Amino acid sequence: GENVEQHPSTLSVQEGDSAVIKCTYSDSASNYFPWYKQELGKRPQLIIDIRSNVGEKKDQRIAVTLNKTAKHFSLHITETQPEDSAVYFCAASFTGGGNKLTFGTGTQLKVEL
Amino acid sequence: NAGVTQTPKFQVLKTGQSMTLQCAQDMNHEYMSWYRQDPGMGLRLIHYSVGAGITDQGEVPNGYNVSRSTTEDFPLRLLSAAPSQTSVYFCASSRDRVVDEQFFGPGTRLTVL
């Protein structure tokens, strides 16, 4: 089955700096890579996703890059703000993989003033 | 639309008791799933369903049963609760497939004594 590794487990940045979270996956057939944000005590919510037919996707201050050859993808947050503080999860799946989404173990991001 | 709803929000059980966690969605989504979230382990898939009458196992199915008699409801049954099942449980749904955006419910915090 799919295995997703996520690093780092905790990340502390100063407000206005950039944050990068990296994930690697094991199944070369994976073709869908979403990122979820979970604020304390809340439910996970999708913030951005990328499919294997593109290498990069941006949405305002967040972007995701995908390197299929190396089997890794990354979340980039620029100009971080205190409200970006949360746990971020990457995930991977592929259409023919029994409809299963495999999540990474999460990154606790803290944006300090 | 209420989206994805879960009941109860909190539950305390004694070892050996059984109970059902309820999940419902009003978005006419075909795909529904159950995850458990434990510290440092991310979200792990318990069971999922691609439509009414169809269910399948995820990564950690032991000790749990599911059924999908209607499109809207996807209850999770704990057969004989164990302390290892202490966790936060999230139900999620998506329009058609796992590679569509997953909408999560608010979660159920379960403690087994």
Side-chain angles (χ1 to χ4, degrees), chain B residues 42-107:
Chain B
L43 293 150
R44 292 183 293 167
L45 182 65
I46 305 172
H47 286 286
Y48 67 96
S49 169
V50 298
I54 306 170
T55 63
D56 207 345
Q57 296 182 349
E59 180 184 355
V60 288
N62 292 342
Y64 308 95
N65 274 356
V66 292
S67 60
R68 184 94 180 271
S69 57
T70 67
T71 299
E72 294 78 19
D73 300 298
F74 191 43
L76 178 72
R77 298 184 188 84
L78 279 69
L79 309 173
S80 177
S84 61
Q85 293 179 304
T86 294
S87 187
V88 179
Y89 292 84
F90 286 99
C91 177
S93 74
S94 63
R95 183 186 59 183
D96 187 35
R97 307 167 297 167
V98 73
V99 295
D100 298 318
E101 177 179 359
Q102 299 292 309
F103 292 87
F104 284 84

Short mmCIF file of all heavy atoms in Angstrom, two decimals, chain B residues 42-107:
data_model
loop_
_atom_site.label_atom_id
_atom_site.label_comp_id
_atom_site.label_asym_id
_atom_site.label_seq_id
_atom_site.Cartn_x
_atom_site.Cartn_y
_atom_site.Cartn_z
N GLY B 42 -1.17 11.11 12.44
CA GLY B 42 -1.98 11.59 11.34
C GLY B 42 -3.38 11.01 11.34
O GLY B 42 -3.91 10.60 12.37
N LEU B 43 -3.95 10.95 10.17
CA LEU B 43 -5.29 10.41 9.98
C LEU B 43 -5.16 9.04 9.32
O LEU B 43 -4.56 8.91 8.26
CB LEU B 43 -6.11 11.35 9.07
CG LEU B 43 -6.42 12.71 9.67
CD1 LEU B 43 -6.54 13.76 8.59
CD2 LEU B 43 -7.70 12.63 10.47
N ARG B 44 -5.75 8.05 9.93
CA ARG B 44 -5.67 6.70 9.39
C ARG B 44 -7.07 6.21 9.01
O ARG B 44 -8.00 6.30 9.79
CB ARG B 44 -5.03 5.75 10.41
CG ARG B 44 -3.56 6.04 10.65
CD ARG B 44 -2.94 5.03 11.60
NE ARG B 44 -3.49 5.15 12.95
CZ ARG B 44 -3.32 4.25 13.91
NH1 ARG B 44 -2.63 3.15 13.66
NH2 ARG B 44 -3.83 4.45 15.10
N LEU B 45 -7.15 5.66 7.81
CA LEU B 45 -8.43 5.24 7.26
C LEU B 45 -8.89 3.94 7.90
O LEU B 45 -8.15 2.95 7.94
CB LEU B 45 -8.29 5.05 5.74
CG LEU B 45 -9.53 4.65 4.96
CD1 LEU B 45 -10.57 5.76 5.01
CD2 LEU B 45 -9.15 4.34 3.51
N ILE B 46 -10.16 3.93 8.38
CA ILE B 46 -10.72 2.74 9.02
C ILE B 46 -11.54 1.94 8.00
O ILE B 46 -11.26 0.77 7.74
CB ILE B 46 -11.61 3.14 10.21
CG1 ILE B 46 -10.84 4.00 11.20
CG2 ILE B 46 -12.14 1.88 10.90
CD1 ILE B 46 -11.71 4.58 12.31
N HIS B 47 -12.57 2.56 7.46
CA HIS B 47 -13.42 1.96 6.43
C HIS B 47 -13.86 3.05 5.48
O HIS B 47 -13.87 4.22 5.83
CB HIS B 47 -14.67 1.31 7.04
CG HIS B 47 -14.44 0.03 7.76
ND1 HIS B 47 -14.19 -1.17 7.12
CD2 HIS B 47 -14.43 -0.25 9.09
CE1 HIS B 47 -14.04 -2.13 8.01
NE2 HIS B 47 -14.18 -1.61 9.22
N TYR B 48 -14.27 2.65 4.29
CA TYR B 48 -14.80 3.61 3.35
C TYR B 48 -15.90 2.97 2.51
O TYR B 48 -16.06 1.74 2.50
CB TYR B 48 -13.70 4.19 2.47
CG TYR B 48 -13.06 3.20 1.52
CD1 TYR B 48 -13.47 3.09 0.21
CD2 TYR B 48 -12.01 2.40 1.96
CE1 TYR B 48 -12.87 2.19 -0.66
CE2 TYR B 48 -11.41 1.50 1.09
CZ TYR B 48 -11.83 1.40 -0.20
OH TYR B 48 -11.24 0.51 -1.06
N SER B 49 -16.64 3.84 1.81
CA SER B 49 -17.74 3.38 0.97
C SER B 49 -17.79 4.23 -0.29
O SER B 49 -17.70 5.45 -0.21
CB SER B 49 -19.07 3.50 1.72
OG SER B 49 -20.16 3.30 0.86
N VAL B 50 -17.95 3.59 -1.43
CA VAL B 50 -18.03 4.31 -2.70
C VAL B 50 -19.47 4.50 -3.15
O VAL B 50 -19.72 5.07 -4.22
CB VAL B 50 -17.20 3.62 -3.80
CG1 VAL B 50 -15.72 3.59 -3.41
CG2 VAL B 50 -17.71 2.22 -4.08
N GLY B 51 -20.42 4.05 -2.35
CA GLY B 51 -21.82 4.23 -2.67
C GLY B 51 -22.68 3.35 -1.78
O GLY B 51 -22.16 2.46 -1.08
N ALA B 52 -23.96 3.58 -1.81
CA ALA B 52 -24.89 2.80 -0.98
C ALA B 52 -24.74 1.32 -1.27
O ALA B 52 -24.69 0.90 -2.43
CB ALA B 52 -26.32 3.25 -1.22
N GLY B 53 -24.62 0.54 -0.20
CA GLY B 53 -24.50 -0.90 -0.31
C GLY B 53 -23.09 -1.42 -0.53
O GLY B 53 -22.87 -2.63 -0.57
N ILE B 54 -22.11 -0.51 -0.62
CA ILE B 54 -20.73 -0.90 -0.91
C ILE B 54 -19.80 -0.35 0.17
O ILE B 54 -19.76 0.87 0.38
CB ILE B 54 -20.27 -0.38 -2.28
CG1 ILE B 54 -21.24 -0.81 -3.38
CG2 ILE B 54 -18.85 -0.87 -2.58
CD1 ILE B 54 -20.98 -0.13 -4.71
N THR B 55 -19.08 -1.23 0.86
CA THR B 55 -18.10 -0.79 1.84
C THR B 55 -16.82 -1.60 1.66
O THR B 55 -16.84 -2.70 1.09
CB THR B 55 -18.60 -0.96 3.29
OG1 THR B 55 -18.82 -2.36 3.56
CG2 THR B 55 -19.89 -0.20 3.52
N ASP B 56 -15.73 -1.05 2.17
CA ASP B 56 -14.45 -1.75 2.09
C ASP B 56 -13.56 -1.31 3.23
O ASP B 56 -13.80 -0.27 3.86
CB ASP B 56 -13.77 -1.48 0.75
CG ASP B 56 -12.83 -2.62 0.35
OD1 ASP B 56 -12.49 -3.46 1.22
OD2 ASP B 56 -12.44 -2.66 -0.84
N GLN B 57 -12.55 -2.12 3.50
CA GLN B 57 -11.66 -1.85 4.62
C GLN B 57 -10.57 -0.86 4.25
O GLN B 57 -10.09 -0.83 3.11
CB GLN B 57 -11.02 -3.16 5.08
CG GLN B 57 -12.01 -4.17 5.64
CD GLN B 57 -11.33 -5.43 6.12
OE1 GLN B 57 -10.15 -5.66 5.87
NE2 GLN B 57 -12.07 -6.26 6.83
N GLY B 58 -10.17 -0.09 5.26
CA GLY B 58 -9.04 0.80 5.10
C GLY B 58 -7.81 0.23 5.75
O GLY B 58 -7.59 -0.98 5.77
N GLU B 59 -7.03 1.09 6.33
CA GLU B 59 -5.74 0.72 6.91
C GLU B 59 -5.87 0.05 8.27
O GLU B 59 -5.11 -0.86 8.61
CB GLU B 59 -4.89 1.99 7.05
CG GLU B 59 -3.51 1.80 7.64
CD GLU B 59 -2.78 3.13 7.83
OE1 GLU B 59 -3.34 4.17 7.42
OE2 GLU B 59 -1.68 3.12 8.41
N VAL B 60 -6.85 0.48 9.08
CA VAL B 60 -6.99 -0.03 10.45
C VAL B 60 -8.42 -0.46 10.74
O VAL B 60 -9.11 0.12 11.59
CB VAL B 60 -6.50 1.01 11.49
CG1 VAL B 60 -5.00 1.15 11.45
CG2 VAL B 60 -7.16 2.38 11.25
N PRO B 61 -8.94 -1.50 10.10
CA PRO B 61 -10.36 -1.85 10.24
C PRO B 61 -10.73 -2.73 11.44
O PRO B 61 -11.92 -2.82 11.79
CB PRO B 61 -10.62 -2.64 8.95
CG PRO B 61 -9.30 -3.32 8.68
CD PRO B 61 -8.25 -2.32 9.12
N ASN B 62 -9.73 -3.34 12.08
CA ASN B 62 -10.04 -4.32 13.13
C ASN B 62 -10.76 -3.67 14.31
O ASN B 62 -10.33 -2.65 14.84
CB ASN B 62 -8.77 -5.00 13.61
CG ASN B 62 -8.18 -5.90 12.54
OD1 ASN B 62 -8.86 -6.27 11.59
ND2 ASN B 62 -6.91 -6.22 12.68
N GLY B 63 -11.87 -4.29 14.74
CA GLY B 63 -12.65 -3.80 15.86
C GLY B 63 -13.77 -2.86 15.47
O GLY B 63 -14.51 -2.38 16.34
N TYR B 64 -13.90 -2.60 14.17
CA TYR B 64 -14.92 -1.67 13.66
C TYR B 64 -15.73 -2.32 12.53
O TYR B 64 -15.19 -3.05 11.72
CB TYR B 64 -14.28 -0.41 13.11
CG TYR B 64 -13.31 0.30 14.00
CD1 TYR B 64 -11.94 0.06 13.91
CD2 TYR B 64 -13.75 1.24 14.93
CE1 TYR B 64 -11.04 0.72 14.73
CE2 TYR B 64 -12.86 1.91 15.75
CZ TYR B 64 -11.50 1.65 15.64
OH TYR B 64 -10.62 2.30 16.45
N ASN B 65 -17.03 -1.99 12.52
CA ASN B 65 -17.88 -2.39 11.41
C ASN B 65 -18.59 -1.17 10.84
O ASN B 65 -18.84 -0.20 11.56
CB ASN B 65 -18.96 -3.37 11.88
CG ASN B 65 -18.46 -4.80 11.87
OD1 ASN B 65 -17.34 -5.08 11.44
ND2 ASN B 65 -19.29 -5.71 12.36
N VAL B 66 -18.92 -1.23 9.56
CA VAL B 66 -19.68 -0.16 8.93
C VAL B 66 -20.75 -0.77 8.03
O VAL B 66 -20.68 -1.94 7.67
CB VAL B 66 -18.79 0.78 8.07
CG1 VAL B 66 -17.84 1.58 8.93
CG2 VAL B 66 -18.03 -0.04 7.01
N SER B 67 -21.72 0.06 7.69
CA SER B 67 -22.73 -0.29 6.70
C SER B 67 -23.13 0.98 5.98
O SER B 67 -22.94 2.09 6.49
CB SER B 67 -23.95 -0.94 7.37
OG SER B 67 -24.53 -0.05 8.31
N ARG B 68 -23.68 0.86 4.79
CA ARG B 68 -24.11 2.02 4.01
C ARG B 68 -25.43 1.67 3.34
O ARG B 68 -25.47 1.29 2.17
CB ARG B 68 -23.04 2.36 2.96
CG ARG B 68 -23.34 3.63 2.17
CD ARG B 68 -22.71 4.83 2.77
NE ARG B 68 -22.99 6.04 2.01
CZ ARG B 68 -22.26 6.50 1.00
NH1 ARG B 68 -21.19 5.81 0.59
NH2 ARG B 68 -22.58 7.62 0.40
N SER B 69 -26.49 1.81 4.09
CA SER B 69 -27.81 1.48 3.56
C SER B 69 -28.41 2.62 2.75
O SER B 69 -29.30 2.39 1.91
CB SER B 69 -28.76 1.07 4.69
OG SER B 69 -28.85 2.10 5.65
N THR B 70 -27.97 3.85 3.01
CA THR B 70 -28.44 5.00 2.25
C THR B 70 -27.24 5.83 1.80
O THR B 70 -26.15 5.70 2.35
CB THR B 70 -29.36 5.90 3.08
OG1 THR B 70 -28.60 6.51 4.13
CG2 THR B 70 -30.52 5.12 3.69
N THR B 71 -27.45 6.71 0.85
CA THR B 71 -26.36 7.61 0.42
C THR B 71 -25.95 8.55 1.53
O THR B 71 -24.79 8.91 1.67
CB THR B 71 -26.82 8.42 -0.81
OG1 THR B 71 -27.13 7.53 -1.87
CG2 THR B 71 -25.74 9.40 -1.27
N GLU B 72 -26.91 8.95 2.38
CA GLU B 72 -26.66 10.01 3.37
C GLU B 72 -25.91 9.53 4.61
O GLU B 72 -25.18 10.29 5.21
CB GLU B 72 -27.99 10.61 3.81
CG GLU B 72 -28.76 11.36 2.73
CD GLU B 72 -29.47 10.42 1.78
OE1 GLU B 72 -29.70 9.24 2.13
OE2 GLU B 72 -29.80 10.87 0.65
N ASP B 73 -26.10 8.29 5.03
CA ASP B 73 -25.62 7.85 6.34
C ASP B 73 -24.52 6.80 6.25
O ASP B 73 -24.59 5.88 5.42
CB ASP B 73 -26.79 7.29 7.15
CG ASP B 73 -27.89 8.31 7.37
OD1 ASP B 73 -27.59 9.34 8.00
OD2 ASP B 73 -29.01 8.09 6.88
N PHE B 74 -23.57 6.90 7.16
CA PHE B 74 -22.45 5.95 7.17
C PHE B 74 -22.02 5.75 8.63
O PHE B 74 -21.03 6.32 9.09
CB PHE B 74 -21.31 6.49 6.32
CG PHE B 74 -20.21 5.50 6.05
CD1 PHE B 74 -20.49 4.18 5.70
CD2 PHE B 74 -18.87 5.89 6.12
CE1 PHE B 74 -19.48 3.28 5.42
CE2 PHE B 74 -17.85 4.99 5.84
CZ PHE B 74 -18.16 3.69 5.50
N PRO B 75 -22.76 4.94 9.40
CA PRO B 75 -22.42 4.74 10.81
C PRO B 75 -21.22 3.82 11.00
O PRO B 75 -20.99 2.89 10.21
CB PRO B 75 -23.70 4.10 11.37
CG PRO B 75 -24.33 3.42 10.18
CD PRO B 75 -23.99 4.27 8.99
N LEU B 76 -20.48 4.08 12.07
CA LEU B 76 -19.32 3.27 12.45
C LEU B 76 -19.63 2.60 13.78
O LEU B 76 -19.93 3.28 14.76
CB LEU B 76 -18.08 4.16 12.61
CG LEU B 76 -16.79 3.47 13.05
CD1 LEU B 76 -16.23 2.61 11.92
CD2 LEU B 76 -15.76 4.50 13.50
N ARG B 77 -19.52 1.30 13.81
CA ARG B 77 -19.84 0.53 15.01
C ARG B 77 -18.57 -0.01 15.66
O ARG B 77 -17.75 -0.64 14.99
CB ARG B 77 -20.78 -0.63 14.68
CG ARG B 77 -22.13 -0.19 14.15
CD ARG B 77 -23.07 -1.36 13.91
NE ARG B 77 -24.27 -0.92 13.23
CZ ARG B 77 -24.38 -0.76 11.91
NH1 ARG B 77 -23.34 -1.04 11.13
NH2 ARG B 77 -25.51 -0.36 11.37
N LEU B 78 -18.47 0.23 16.96
CA LEU B 78 -17.41 -0.39 17.75
C LEU B 78 -18.03 -1.61 18.42
O LEU B 78 -19.00 -1.48 19.18
CB LEU B 78 -16.87 0.57 18.80
CG LEU B 78 -15.85 1.61 18.33
CD1 LEU B 78 -16.49 2.64 17.42
CD2 LEU B 78 -15.17 2.26 19.52
N LEU B 79 -17.49 -2.76 18.15
CA LEU B 79 -18.12 -4.00 18.57
C LEU B 79 -17.90 -4.29 20.05
O LEU B 79 -18.82 -4.66 20.77
CB LEU B 79 -17.58 -5.15 17.73
CG LEU B 79 -17.64 -4.90 16.22
CD1 LEU B 79 -16.94 -6.01 15.46
CD2 LEU B 79 -19.09 -4.75 15.76
N SER B 80 -16.67 -4.11 20.52
CA SER B 80 -16.31 -4.34 21.91
C SER B 80 -15.15 -3.41 22.21
O SER B 80 -14.00 -3.71 21.90
CB SER B 80 -15.91 -5.80 22.14
OG SER B 80 -15.50 -6.01 23.48
N ALA B 81 -15.47 -2.24 22.77
CA ALA B 81 -14.49 -1.17 22.89
C ALA B 81 -13.27 -1.58 23.71
O ALA B 81 -13.39 -2.29 24.74
CB ALA B 81 -15.14 0.06 23.51
N ALA B 82 -12.10 -1.11 23.26
CA ALA B 82 -10.84 -1.35 23.94
C ALA B 82 -10.13 -0.01 24.15
O ALA B 82 -10.34 0.92 23.36
CB ALA B 82 -9.96 -2.28 23.11
N PRO B 83 -9.28 0.09 25.18
CA PRO B 83 -8.56 1.36 25.41
C PRO B 83 -7.78 1.83 24.17
O PRO B 83 -7.62 3.04 23.98
CB PRO B 83 -7.64 1.02 26.57
CG PRO B 83 -8.38 -0.03 27.33
CD PRO B 83 -9.06 -0.86 26.28
N SER B 84 -7.33 0.91 23.34
CA SER B 84 -6.58 1.28 22.13
C SER B 84 -7.45 2.01 21.11
O SER B 84 -6.93 2.59 20.15
CB SER B 84 -5.98 0.04 21.47
OG SER B 84 -7.02 -0.86 21.10
N GLN B 85 -8.76 2.00 21.32
CA GLN B 85 -9.66 2.71 20.41
C GLN B 85 -9.96 4.14 20.89
O GLN B 85 -10.75 4.85 20.25
CB GLN B 85 -10.96 1.93 20.23
CG GLN B 85 -10.74 0.61 19.50
CD GLN B 85 -12.01 -0.19 19.34
OE1 GLN B 85 -12.70 -0.51 20.32
NE2 GLN B 85 -12.33 -0.55 18.10
N THR B 86 -9.33 4.53 21.98
CA THR B 86 -9.41 5.93 22.40
C THR B 86 -8.77 6.80 21.32
O THR B 86 -7.61 6.61 20.97
CB THR B 86 -8.67 6.13 23.73
OG1 THR B 86 -9.37 5.43 24.76
CG2 THR B 86 -8.60 7.61 24.09
N SER B 87 -9.55 7.74 20.79
CA SER B 87 -9.08 8.50 19.64
C SER B 87 -10.12 9.57 19.30
O SER B 87 -11.18 9.64 19.90
CB SER B 87 -8.88 7.57 18.44
OG SER B 87 -8.28 8.24 17.35
N VAL B 88 -9.77 10.38 18.31
CA VAL B 88 -10.75 11.28 17.70
C VAL B 88 -11.12 10.69 16.34
O VAL B 88 -10.24 10.37 15.55
CB VAL B 88 -10.19 12.70 17.53
CG1 VAL B 88 -11.23 13.59 16.86
CG2 VAL B 88 -9.78 13.28 18.88
N TYR B 89 -12.41 10.54 16.11
CA TYR B 89 -12.90 9.92 14.89
C TYR B 89 -13.52 10.97 13.98
O TYR B 89 -14.37 11.76 14.40
CB TYR B 89 -13.93 8.84 15.22
CG TYR B 89 -13.32 7.66 15.92
CD1 TYR B 89 -13.11 7.66 17.30
CD2 TYR B 89 -12.90 6.55 15.20
CE1 TYR B 89 -12.52 6.58 17.94
CE2 TYR B 89 -12.31 5.46 15.82
CZ TYR B 89 -12.13 5.49 17.20
OH TYR B 89 -11.53 4.42 17.83
N PHE B 90 -13.08 10.97 12.73
CA PHE B 90 -13.61 11.88 11.74
C PHE B 90 -14.27 11.09 10.62
O PHE B 90 -13.71 10.13 10.10
CB PHE B 90 -12.51 12.75 11.13
CG PHE B 90 -12.01 13.83 12.03
CD1 PHE B 90 -10.83 13.65 12.74
CD2 PHE B 90 -12.70 15.02 12.16
CE1 PHE B 90 -10.36 14.66 13.59
CE2 PHE B 90 -12.24 16.03 12.99
CZ PHE B 90 -11.07 15.85 13.71
N CYS B 91 -15.45 11.55 10.24
CA CYS B 91 -16.13 11.07 9.05
C CYS B 91 -15.88 12.08 7.95
O CYS B 91 -15.77 13.29 8.21
CB CYS B 91 -17.61 10.93 9.34
SG CYS B 91 -18.62 10.41 7.95
N ALA B 92 -15.77 11.61 6.72
CA ALA B 92 -15.55 12.51 5.59
C ALA B 92 -16.35 12.03 4.39
O ALA B 92 -16.68 10.84 4.28
CB ALA B 92 -14.06 12.59 5.23
N SER B 93 -16.66 12.96 3.51
CA SER B 93 -17.36 12.58 2.29
C SER B 93 -16.81 13.39 1.12
O SER B 93 -16.24 14.47 1.30
CB SER B 93 -18.87 12.81 2.42
OG SER B 93 -19.18 14.19 2.36
N SER B 94 -16.95 12.83 -0.07
CA SER B 94 -16.59 13.56 -1.28
C SER B 94 -17.59 13.21 -2.37
O SER B 94 -18.26 12.18 -2.30
CB SER B 94 -15.16 13.26 -1.73
OG SER B 94 -15.03 11.90 -2.07
N ARG B 95 -17.60 14.06 -3.40
CA ARG B 95 -18.65 13.97 -4.40
C ARG B 95 -18.75 12.59 -5.03
O ARG B 95 -19.82 11.99 -5.12
CB ARG B 95 -18.40 15.02 -5.49
CG ARG B 95 -19.46 15.08 -6.57
CD ARG B 95 -19.02 16.03 -7.65
NE ARG B 95 -17.75 15.61 -8.24
CZ ARG B 95 -17.09 16.28 -9.17
NH1 ARG B 95 -17.57 17.43 -9.60
NH2 ARG B 95 -15.96 15.84 -9.65
N ASP B 96 -17.58 12.08 -5.47
CA ASP B 96 -17.67 10.85 -6.26
C ASP B 96 -16.54 9.88 -5.96
O ASP B 96 -16.75 8.68 -5.88
CB ASP B 96 -17.66 11.23 -7.75
CG ASP B 96 -17.92 10.04 -8.65
OD1 ASP B 96 -18.71 9.16 -8.24
OD2 ASP B 96 -17.34 9.97 -9.74
N ARG B 97 -15.34 10.42 -5.77
CA ARG B 97 -14.17 9.55 -5.63
C ARG B 97 -13.27 10.10 -4.53
O ARG B 97 -13.42 11.23 -4.09
CB ARG B 97 -13.36 9.52 -6.93
CG ARG B 97 -14.16 9.17 -8.17
CD ARG B 97 -13.32 9.48 -9.40
NE ARG B 97 -13.00 10.90 -9.50
CZ ARG B 97 -12.09 11.39 -10.33
NH1 ARG B 97 -11.39 10.57 -11.09
NH2 ARG B 97 -11.86 12.68 -10.38
N VAL B 98 -12.29 9.30 -4.13
CA VAL B 98 -11.36 9.76 -3.10
C VAL B 98 -10.51 10.91 -3.63
O VAL B 98 -9.99 11.71 -2.85
CB VAL B 98 -10.48 8.61 -2.61
CG1 VAL B 98 -9.42 8.22 -3.65
CG2 VAL B 98 -9.82 8.95 -1.28
N VAL B 99 -10.38 11.04 -4.94
CA VAL B 99 -9.55 12.12 -5.50
C VAL B 99 -10.33 13.41 -5.68
O VAL B 99 -9.87 14.33 -6.35
CB VAL B 99 -8.88 11.67 -6.81
CG1 VAL B 99 -7.89 10.54 -6.53
CG2 VAL B 99 -9.90 11.27 -7.84
N ASP B 100 -11.51 13.49 -5.13
CA ASP B 100 -12.25 14.75 -5.02
C ASP B 100 -12.02 15.31 -3.62
O ASP B 100 -11.60 14.59 -2.71
CB ASP B 100 -13.75 14.53 -5.23
CG ASP B 100 -14.07 14.00 -6.62
OD1 ASP B 100 -13.45 14.49 -7.59
OD2 ASP B 100 -14.92 13.09 -6.72
N GLU B 101 -12.32 16.59 -3.42
CA GLU B 101 -12.12 17.21 -2.11
C GLU B 101 -12.90 16.45 -1.06
O GLU B 101 -14.10 16.17 -1.21
CB GLU B 101 -12.57 18.66 -2.13
CG GLU B 101 -12.46 19.33 -0.77
CD GLU B 101 -12.90 20.79 -0.79
OE1 GLU B 101 -13.26 21.28 -1.87
OE2 GLU B 101 -12.86 21.42 0.28
N GLN B 102 -12.21 16.11 0.04
CA GLN B 102 -12.84 15.45 1.17
C GLN B 102 -13.39 16.52 2.12
O GLN B 102 -12.66 17.43 2.53
CB GLN B 102 -11.83 14.58 1.92
CG GLN B 102 -11.22 13.48 1.08
CD GLN B 102 -12.22 12.41 0.69
OE1 GLN B 102 -12.92 11.87 1.54
NE2 GLN B 102 -12.29 12.13 -0.60
N PHE B 103 -14.67 16.40 2.49
CA PHE B 103 -15.29 17.30 3.47
C PHE B 103 -15.42 16.52 4.77
O PHE B 103 -16.08 15.47 4.81
CB PHE B 103 -16.67 17.75 2.98
CG PHE B 103 -16.61 18.65 1.78
CD1 PHE B 103 -16.57 18.13 0.50
CD2 PHE B 103 -16.57 20.03 1.93
CE1 PHE B 103 -16.50 18.94 -0.61
CE2 PHE B 103 -16.49 20.86 0.82
CZ PHE B 103 -16.46 20.31 -0.46
N PHE B 104 -14.80 17.05 5.81
CA PHE B 104 -14.79 16.34 7.08
C PHE B 104 -15.90 16.82 8.01
O PHE B 104 -16.32 17.99 7.97
CB PHE B 104 -13.44 16.56 7.79
CG PHE B 104 -12.32 15.75 7.21
CD1 PHE B 104 -11.62 16.20 6.10
CD2 PHE B 104 -11.97 14.53 7.77
CE1 PHE B 104 -10.59 15.45 5.55
CE2 PHE B 104 -10.93 13.77 7.24
CZ PHE B 104 -10.25 14.24 6.12
N GLY B 105 -16.36 15.89 8.84
CA GLY B 105 -17.28 16.25 9.91
C GLY B 105 -16.50 16.85 11.07
O GLY B 105 -15.26 16.91 11.04
N PRO B 106 -17.20 17.29 12.12
CA PRO B 106 -16.55 17.97 13.25
C PRO B 106 -15.79 17.02 14.18
O PRO B 106 -15.03 17.49 15.03
CB PRO B 106 -17.71 18.63 13.99
CG PRO B 106 -18.88 17.78 13.66
CD PRO B 106 -18.66 17.31 12.25
N GLY B 107 -15.98 15.73 14.04
CA GLY B 107 -15.25 14.76 14.85
C GLY B 107 -16.00 14.32 16.10
O GLY B 107 -16.88 15.01 16.61
#
